[in-house]
């Protein structure tokens, strides 16, 4: 008996020790152990249940007031937030809740697969899902067909993603997955069943090769002159390419990063050092929207929308900017006491050094010691972190570039300033060689730089290479829209999509068989008709096929494509001779093409379902009209698959109804976006409004179709599970301190994808809270970047409190650093006295 008691006590002691260890580990990693049951947590759950008549289990570790779903009005449901997909069994607290609706919120976390224990629940619904969750391998076959149908059809983003990949009825996909056959789904689909698509698909949906290469790559070591598609970019849109000596990175329109090539120093950012023949997604940056990339010889830089700079690859010369000389196999943000607080708007990479341009016209440099840094230092390691470079105070910089031994600035008045071995100067001074020219564009790579220039007197255009000062006279009938260079060769792209190159051809990177140098530019043949951009790597040439897309359009596209959505807010139907119809939204058409609205729609009356029906002319084909409406909703079009008849229709139709942006794309390749300005006309506009907000006794007017596609909060309100709510439960909640100006700025971002600059700092602080409340994380990061510029010792505690309560980690860290640097002064401020004792302990710990 005594032995049994001792064993029982020992087991209980070991159990408690393991439990405490698990809880300590979960706190360290930012996760909450599933068996946590402190009295405070039980009290909070009970109070929340009594107050809102809901049963909530929060697995993220955030306070309940920060969870937007708690304010979304779901009656008597269980909200389960997943941060760790490795949970192998159903948490004990959930076993009694299997009949409740489980809402999965993946808006803030990257989850690669669904935990199998979720199969035990009868009702599942995704509120906001990332695309990496929605691949076939993400769904275990244990998920039954009924649950998959709920996941993929009932108003969820998952349905939209799957529909883009397969022009096939969704039930066929469900059959394959539920039967466990989805591992080879790509092979089987298309050869078995031919079903009718359930969403609209145009003939210009972008599902074609979008990156073309020629020369030497990982699969053609001797090089080949024949242009060939680069794999792994099916259905994606590439907006920028960066090239190092033997590696290449690609930026998509959605801000995702892909990389391929040599990876000796981790310059691909994939977490390992294995070379990659095909582009691979850099998943560690999935939580950030990248807006620019740059490559040095063996390292890479990326710039995020919030203004932070990340680096990875070789660091021997300090080119990673992190104060160290070790190489990094995964991206890490450059932390710097000044750089972290100033908005970076542009980056550039030389072979072994880097530059950054700030919003207030300052230049940072770091990397290999030399005149090209534009600054000097006294300590041995001064070059390992960013520092201010010296530039003339009277210039305004529009572009920065760097190569092996030089750094370049292009100013707004089209002059070149440089430092380095090219002009033997350690400070940026004007290059007098360009004194009689206007410099329109510049690029730099390896030991070369290339400039597009215009003679001030003759108005002739030239290309000028820095290495030999050779000028290439250009054909004025073919304006140049982009230039590129590497150590070995040069390229340029004309407005009509033609690509020319010259230089070394040892690996057939010029697109011709003869492996000898070419002095004058030659045209590259056998390329698609529409090229968007070009780039040179050391031994390869790259061309990106023209696909015009914008973020606003990608969001609004879903509202148009899902024609079967009963909650799609459709109020107009275009009916064709064969009885087919296309549903659309008056407010979008009015904003994008008023002439078409005035002539075709305005005078028509609504039917009993409040739908305006338009009988289309006999000679208008439905597939042509779908392409027209696709452009209305997306502000983008894929040129490569347009046949002559379709192009002619779109040109005539756009001219007839004054849609000049579409006509310009089709006739001269102009890529000026207009959707931002078009939707801005709808901001707080009563036309077709179906939502009214009232804040500080002032009304603000909005439109469901836009809000639902741009915000998961409003989507949850008016679509998805929201369709089961009573009308009274759909009332939008506001934070208690919401102001009219901040809420209007929030809607301004939703409608334009732009954050208005120059607002009062208190509006940005309130907007930070609103963006977190409504789960608009990109806006939260943008607000954080602007606010960080205004934080000082006096305000550090106050701003830290707001940042900490709203999950703005970067801003919270900046405030902490400022506070701790002058702790004695900061602790005497009024802001410090407003903190609770718990907050004070957290701030100074």
């Amino acid at each position: 008996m005594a032995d049994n008691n001792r064993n029982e006590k020992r087991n209980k002691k070991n159990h408690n020790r393991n439990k405490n260890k698990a809880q300590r580990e979960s706190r360290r990693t930012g996760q909450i152990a599933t068996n946590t049951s402190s009295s405070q947590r039980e009290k909070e759950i009970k109070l929340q249940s009594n107050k809102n008549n809901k049963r909530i289990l929060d697995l993220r570790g955030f306070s309940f007031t920060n969870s937007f779903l708690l304010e979304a009005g779901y009656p008597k449901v269980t909200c389960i937030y997943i941060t760790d997909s490795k949970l192998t069994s159903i948490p004990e607290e959930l076993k009694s809740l299997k009949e409740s609706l489980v809402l999965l919120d993946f808006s803030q976390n990257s989850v690669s697969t669904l935990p199998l224990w979720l199969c035990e629940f009868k009702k599942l619904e995704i509120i906001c899902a990332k695309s990496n969750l929605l691949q076939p391998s993400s769904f275990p076959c244990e998920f039954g067909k009924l649950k998959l149908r709920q996941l993929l059809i009932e108003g969820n983003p998952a349905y939209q993603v799957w529909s883009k990949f397969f022009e096939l009825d969704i039930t066929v996909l469900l059959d394959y997955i539920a039967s466990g056959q989805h591992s080879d789904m790509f092979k089987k689909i298309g050869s078995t069943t031919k079903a009718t698509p359930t969403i609209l698909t145009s003939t210009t949906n972008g599902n074609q090769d979008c990156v073309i290469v020629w020369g030497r790559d990982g699969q053609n070591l001797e090089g080949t002159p024949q242009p060939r598609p680069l794999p792994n970019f099916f259905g994606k849109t590439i907006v920028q390419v960066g090239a190092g000596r033997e590696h290449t990175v690609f930026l998509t329109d959605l801000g995702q990063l892909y990389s391929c090539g040599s990876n000796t120093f981790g310059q691909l950012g994939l977490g390992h050092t294995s070379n990659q023949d095909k582009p691979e997604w850099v998943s560690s940056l999935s939580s950030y929207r990248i807006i620019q990339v740059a490559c040095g010889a063996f390292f890479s830089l990326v710039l995020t929308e919030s203004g932070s700079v990340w680096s990875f690859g070789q660091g021997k010369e300090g080119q990673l900017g992190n104060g160290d000389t070790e190489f990094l196999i995964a991206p890490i943000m450059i932390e710097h006491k000044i750089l972290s607080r100033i908005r970076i708007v542009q980056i550039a990479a030389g072979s072994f050094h880097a530059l950054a341009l700030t919003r207030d016209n300052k230049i940072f440099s770091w990397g290999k010691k030399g005149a090209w840094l534009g600054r000097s230092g006294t300590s041995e390691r001064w070059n390992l972190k960013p520092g201010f470079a010296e530039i003339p105070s009277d210039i305004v910089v529009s572009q920065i570039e760097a190569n092996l031994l030089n750094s370049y600035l292009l100013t707004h008045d089209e002059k070149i300033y440089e430092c380095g071995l090219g002009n033997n100067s350690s400070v940026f001074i004007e290059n007098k060689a360009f004194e009689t020219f206007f410099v329109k564009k510049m690029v730099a790579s390896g030991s070369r730089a290339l400039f597009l220039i215009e003679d001030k007197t003759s108005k002739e255009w030239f290309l000028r290479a820095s290495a030999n000062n050779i000028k290439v006279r250009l054909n004025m009938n073919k304006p140049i829209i982009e230039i590129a260079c590497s150590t070995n060769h040069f390229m340029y792209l004309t407005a009509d999509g033609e690509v020319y190159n010259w230089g070394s051809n040892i690996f057939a990177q010029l697109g011709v068989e003869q492996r000898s140098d070419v002095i004058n530019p030659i045209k590259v043949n056998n390329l698609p008709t529409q090229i968007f951009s070009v780039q040179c790597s050391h031994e390869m040439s790259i061309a990106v096929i023209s696909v015009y897309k914008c973020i606003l359009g990608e969001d609004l596209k879903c509202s148009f494509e899902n024609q079967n959505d009963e909650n799609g807010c459709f109020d107009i139907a275009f009916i064709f001779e064969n009885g087919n119809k296309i549903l659309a939204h008056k407010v979008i058409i009015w904003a994008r093409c008023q002439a078409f609205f005035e002539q075709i729609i305005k005078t028509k009356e609504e039917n009993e379902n409040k739908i305006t029906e338009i009988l289309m002319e006999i000679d208008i084909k439905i597939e042509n009209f779908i392409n027209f409406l696709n452009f209305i909703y997306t502000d983008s079009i894929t040129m490569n698959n347009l046949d002559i008849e379709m192009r002619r229709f779109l040109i005539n139709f756009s001219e007839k109804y004054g849609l000049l942006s579409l006509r310009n794309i089709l006739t001269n390749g102009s890529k000026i976006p207009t959707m931002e300005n078009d939707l801005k006309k709808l901001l707080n506009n009563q036309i077709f409004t179906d939502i009214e907000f009232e804040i500080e006794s002032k009304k603000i007017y909005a439109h469901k179709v836009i809000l639902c596609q741009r915000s998961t909060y409003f989507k949850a309100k008016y679509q998805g599970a929201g369709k089961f709510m009573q009308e009274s439960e759909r009332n939008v909640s506001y934070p208690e301190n919401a102001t009219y100006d901040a809420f209007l700025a929030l809607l301004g971002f939703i409608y334009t994808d732009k954050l208005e600059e120059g607002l009062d700092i208190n509006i940005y602080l309130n907007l930070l809270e609103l963006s977190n409340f409504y789960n608009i994380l990109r806006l939260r990061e943008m607000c954080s970047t602007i606010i960080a510029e205004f934080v000082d010792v006096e305000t550090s505690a106050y701003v830290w409190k707001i940042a900490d309560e709203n999950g703005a980690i970067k801003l919270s860290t900046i405030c902490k650093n400022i506070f701790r640097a002058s702790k004695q002064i900061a602790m005497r401020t009024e802001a410090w006295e407003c903190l609770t004792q718990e907050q004070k302990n957290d701030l100074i710990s």
Side-chain angles (χ1 to χ4, degrees), residues 8-24 35:
E8 185 176 345
K9 289 181 180 179
R10 187 184 301 111
N11 291 337
K12 185 174 183 180
K13 184 176 181 180
N14 290 335
H15 172 75
N16 290 334
R17 184 186 297 117
N18 292 335
K19 177 180 177 180
N20 293 334
K21 182 179 179 181
Q23 292 180 359
R24 286 196 303 272
N35 56 358

Side-chain angles (χ1 to χ4, degrees), residues 93 96 154 160 277 288 430 487 576 621 631 680 839:
E93 295 93 332
S96 63
E154 293 185 356
Q160 304 296 340
D277 292 339
Y288 303 89
E430 184 180 356
T487 296
F576 292 80
K621 294 182 179 180
F631 182 81
K680 192 173 184 179
Q839 289 172 333

Side-chain angles (χ1 to χ4, degrees), residues 109-110 130 132 255-256 281-289:
N109 302 288
S110 178
K130 288 200 169 186
N132 64 317
Q256 296 177 324
W281 178 43
V282 184
S283 59
S284 59
L285 289 170
S286 62
S287 299
Y288 303 89
R289 181 170 180 264

Side-chain angles (χ1 to χ4, degrees), residues 20 29 58 92 279 289-290 330 493 506 524 637 715 817 828:
N20 293 334
T29 59
D58 189 340
E92 196 68 31
R289 181 170 180 264
I290 301 168
L493 170 67
I506 189 171
V524 182
I637 192 166
K715 193 174 189 69
N817 293 337
R828 294 196 295 269

Side-chain angles (χ1 to χ4, degrees), residues 208-219:
Q208 77 286 316
D209 304 316
C210 65
V211 177
I212 305 295
V213 300
W214 56 99
R216 180 184 182 183
D217 60 17
Q219 296 179 325

Side-chain angles (χ1 to χ4, degrees), residues 425-442:
S425 173
S426 59
V427 296
F428 284 97
I429 58 175
E430 184 180 356
N431 188 328
K432 297 298 183 179
F434 295 97
E435 198 168 16
T436 59
F437 299 94
F438 294 116
V439 182
K440 302 296 182 179
K441 292 178 180 290
M442 68 172 182

Side-chain angles (χ1 to χ4, degrees), residues 114 124 126 134-136 138-156 158-163 166-183 185-186 188-189 192-193 195 198:
L114 294 178
L124 295 174
I126 294 178
L134 305 174
Q135 308 308 317
S138 301
F139 291 95
C141 58
E142 286 82 351
F143 278 77
K145 184 171 180 178
L146 178 61
K147 290 174 183 172
L148 286 168
R149 184 180 300 280
Q150 289 176 314
L151 281 167
L152 297 181
I153 292 183
E154 293 185 356
N156 292 309
Y159 176 70
Q160 304 296 340
V161 174
W162 280 73
S163 298
F166 305 99
E167 293 185 358
L168 203 64
D169 191 275
I170 203 72
T171 58
V172 179
L173 301 180
L174 297 176
D175 284 333
Y176 274 102
I177 304 172
S179 63
Q181 301 180 50
H182 58 273
S183 60
M185 179 187 296
F186 286 93
K188 295 185 179 180
I189 284 185
T192 55
T193 307
T198 57

Side-chain angles (χ1 to χ4, degrees), residues 776-789:
I776 306 177
L777 305 185
R778 278 183 55 223
L779 178 59
R780 186 181 68 182
E781 292 304 309
M782 295 167 73
C783 289
S784 298
T785 301
I786 293 177
I787 294 169
E789 299 180 23

